[in-house]
Structures are given as C-alpha cells and as structure tokens.
Amino acid sequence: MRLTVAIIYNQPDQGRYFSMGENRAVEGVLDEVKAVHQALVGKGHTATRVGLCPPLGAVVSSLRQLRADVVFNLFEGFDGSPETEALVARALSDVGLPFTGCPGEALALGLDKGRAKGLLAKAGIDTPRFQVLGPEGVGNFDLEYPCIVKPLNEDASHGLNEDSIVHNMASLREQVQRVSRLFGGHALVEEFVDGREFNATVLGNKEPVVLPPSEIEYSLPAGKPRLLTYAAKWEPDNDYCHHTKAVCPANVDSELGSRLRKTARDVFLAFGCRGYARVDMRLDSQGNVMVLEVNPNPDISPDAGAAKQARAAGMEYDDFVEKILMLALEKV
C-alpha cells in the first residue's frame, strides 16, 4: 500500500525554552522529522513535511485543508504551550484524518504528571508517593526525603538538573519556587527511587507488544544523583551526558524482564494509548517495579531509545516507522 502522508511538527521558535537555554530539545524535532520523512519515502510513500506555527486557530484551519491519506503526527506542542500537543491531536480527530500515535486524551494525561500518577495508583500500578505543590503550599509537604521536584506539565526532561533532588525543606522550597517561576503553575514532588532504571517502548493498539527494554546505566562522579537530567539527554559536553548510557536490550533475568514488560503493557492500556508510547520505570529497595512516567508519542529519531528497542526486536528503522504508520490505519 502506497500512501500520501503529511508529517506535521512544530516549527521551533525563539520562545521560553530558548531563553532558558533548553532549546536543543525543541530543535531536535527537526532531526526526527527528517529521518521519518526519509524512511517513508524509502518505503515508497509520498511524504510532505508540514511545520505548524501558532496561533492554534490557524493550525486547525490548515489541518482541514490537508490532502493526505494519513497524518504522521510529530507535533510536540508550541514552545511554552505544551498543552497544544493534545489539542492538535484532538483537532485531527475532529477533522476525521487518521493520524499516528496516541489520541489527544492520552497525550493530555501524559503531560499532566499529577493526574497521570493518580490514574496509575487507581489502576493498582506501583508509582512513587507524590504531591503537587506550589510555592504557597510547600508547608503541606508530607513525603520522605530525598524527593525529586519536576515541572508538572513538561516533557523531554525540561527543568531537570542535579539540584532537582532535594533532601530538606530549604532545598525543597527553592526548587518548587524555581519550577513555578520558570514553568508556571505547580511542581510535582515525588519520593526519589534510586534503584535500577529502565524504559520500555510499547507498540500496537488493542494488542500492544512491548519491545526489549533499555536500562539507563550511570557512572557519575560521587555525589551526583543518578538522574536523567536535561543535560544527560541534550548536552553532549556535560558530565551527565558522558556518564549516562542507555543499554539495550537491558541485562535482566527472565523474571524481571517479564515484570517490566507486563508493567509497561498495563500502563499503555490504562492510559488509553495507541500506536506507541514509552514507560519509564525504576526498582525500589525491595525490587518492586515503580512507574515514574508515561510518554505517549516519544522521540522516534534513529538514535532515540524507541528506535534502538525496535532494532533489538529485529526491526530496521524504516520498518519501525512504517509499522507506526500502519497502526494509524487500524480500526480501534
């Protein structure tokens, strides 16, 4: 089947992330778009790149004018307005165009870390204890140190650095204030789990398949917390990048591998994901699998974890991209 595909993505602009020095994550989507475009053309499809710019109303109008069999959705939200990622997916549903990846509801849930963790707990899926706190509510803190402080509504490790791990009220207050100032709103504060770290990509719709998990291995200097910071992902000259390595497939025994895969699959289904998603996990001190985050529509660049896991499962990159495309056409 040869298809006409529109690849939609957000055009990088000089917004909030640039002023914070965290623009590489935003610009990285262009590398992803180029690779996906090449893969689709290599498979014989006709592919067009469609960069989206604000305002959202103009985007919805442009989506209605697309002439394509299917949309390859690489849109990650406008700079400073991450909620637009879900809104664009919902607009695609309203227009009636089939599109790759997760529906708007799953994207919105993945971006709201507090609501996501509440859903995990309700579904009986282990996740670290947490609170959603703003600067005015830090006095209500009721967790055990150490904790990690994250922006409530961001992805791509925006706002995460070694100071995000807090051990006392003074550092907690400082980090909650920093997150609130830079990203607006509240922070997610959760008890820091320092065991082995894994992630697994789930691929499919009603009958999803879990690709071979990766393990994040740290060789950081003493005193630096084992944390996948923004720098670890996006700044090649930083210590965190030099001393953080993803190993795929993870070196795990069959019992742990089975638990990781079951957890990832359960999370995928509980969140209403479709197409592909990534689940981040760590082991606690008793060896329990604790879900840290759910990432609908994660990075699928050739050097990203999802593509590496696909290769470990025997899929070349072009086949992986086409599989995601075909899943968008399945009736669900």
Side-chain angles (χ1 to χ4, degrees):
M1 182 187 302
R2 297 294 179 258
L3 299 169
T4 300
V5 186
I7 306 170
I8 65 169
Y9 62 98
N10 42 293
Q11 288 277 19
D13 61 24
Q14 302 290 322
R16 177 175 67 184
Y17 300 126
F18 280 76
S19 65
M20 293 169 50
E22 294 192 355
N23 54 295
R24 183 64 189 92
V26 180
E27 295 169 339
V29 71
L30 299 180
D31 299 328
E32 183 184 24
V33 169
K34 180 180 178 181
V36 167
H37 183 269
Q38 291 175 341
L40 293 172
V41 171
K43 284 294 188 178
H45 304 293
T46 300
T48 304
R49 307 182 203 186
V50 182
L52 304 181
C53 299
L56 187 63
V59 168
V60 174
S61 295
S62 66
L63 294 179
R64 294 185 184 280
Q65 297 172 26
L66 286 179
R67 295 294 177 263
D69 298 314
V70 60
V71 173
F72 208 110
N73 183 20
L74 297 180
F75 181 75
E76 297 179 349
F78 295 128
D79 191 336
S81 300
E83 72 282 357
T84 54
E85 179 181 21
L87 294 176
V88 164
R90 287 169 175 159
L92 286 168
S93 294
D94 292 342
V95 170
L97 278 171
F99 60 96
T100 61
C102 291
E105 292 75 12
L107 291 167
L109 184 58
L111 193 61
D112 186 339
K113 291 181 173 63
R115 191 160 68 96
K117 286 174 68 66
L119 185 149
L120 291 172
K122 186 176 181 181
I125 297 167
D126 289 337
T127 187
R129 293 178 65 228
F130 73 99
Q131 289 180 279
V132 176
L133 297 175
E136 72 290 344
V138 173
N140 298 321
F141 175 75
D142 188 31
L143 302 174
E144 297 292 329
Y145 294 114
C147 286
I148 180 170
V149 181
K150 308 175 183 179
L152 184 63
N153 303 115
E154 295 286 342
D155 56 11
S157 289
H158 283 299
L160 284 185
N161 57 47
E162 58 186 294
D163 294 330
S164 298
I165 307 298
V166 299
H167 298 267
N168 52 56
M169 178 57 71
S171 57
L172 170 67
R173 192 178 301 278
E174 180 181 346
Q175 288 305 308
V176 169
Q177 289 175 343
R178 180 185 71 89
V179 165
S180 180
R181 182 182 72 254
L182 293 177
F183 298 96
H186 290 63
L188 179 80
V189 181
E190 69 179 13
E191 294 179 353
F192 183 57
V193 177
D194 198 24
R196 296 175 68 183
E197 181 172 347
F198 303 93
N199 63 71
T201 301
V202 187
L203 191 62
N205 291 323
K206 290 182 179 178
E207 297 295 332
V209 174
V210 183
L211 302 180
S214 299
E215 180 169 8
I216 307 300
E217 293 188 351
Y218 297 94
S219 57
L220 292 160
K224 286 187 177 290
R226 298 167 63 255
L227 176 66
L228 197 57
T229 62
Y230 178 88
K233 289 185 177 181
W234 303 106
E235 297 178 4
D237 295 331
N238 188 282
D239 265 0
Y240 264 90
C241 192
H242 283 303
H243 296 283
T244 303
K245 179 177 67 172
V247 177
C248 183
N251 183 18
V252 295
D253 60 32
S254 59
E255 188 272 338
L256 176 54
S258 177
R259 287 196 288 132
L260 292 171
R261 290 190 297 273
K262 181 181 186 305
T263 299
R265 188 177 188 276
D266 288 349
V267 170
F268 185 93
L269 293 172
F271 269 62
C273 293
R274 187 185 71 205
Y276 63 110
R278 191 188 76 237
V279 180
D280 299 342
M281 301 162 278
R282 276 195 172 186
L283 303 185
D284 69 8
S285 57
Q286 284 76 48
N288 300 309
V289 176
M290 308 292 285
V291 175
L292 304 181
E293 289 194 14
V294 185
N295 294 272
N297 294 13
D299 185 2
I300 56 169
S301 302
D303 60 349
K308 291 178 180 177
Q309 292 173 20
R311 284 193 289 272
M315 277 186 282
E316 295 299 326
Y317 184 71
D318 288 8
D319 297 325
F320 175 51
V321 170
E322 187 170 54
K323 175 65 174 178
I324 290 172
L325 183 72
M326 293 306 170
L327 286 170
L329 300 176
E330 282 187 5
K331 293 188 181 298
V332 293

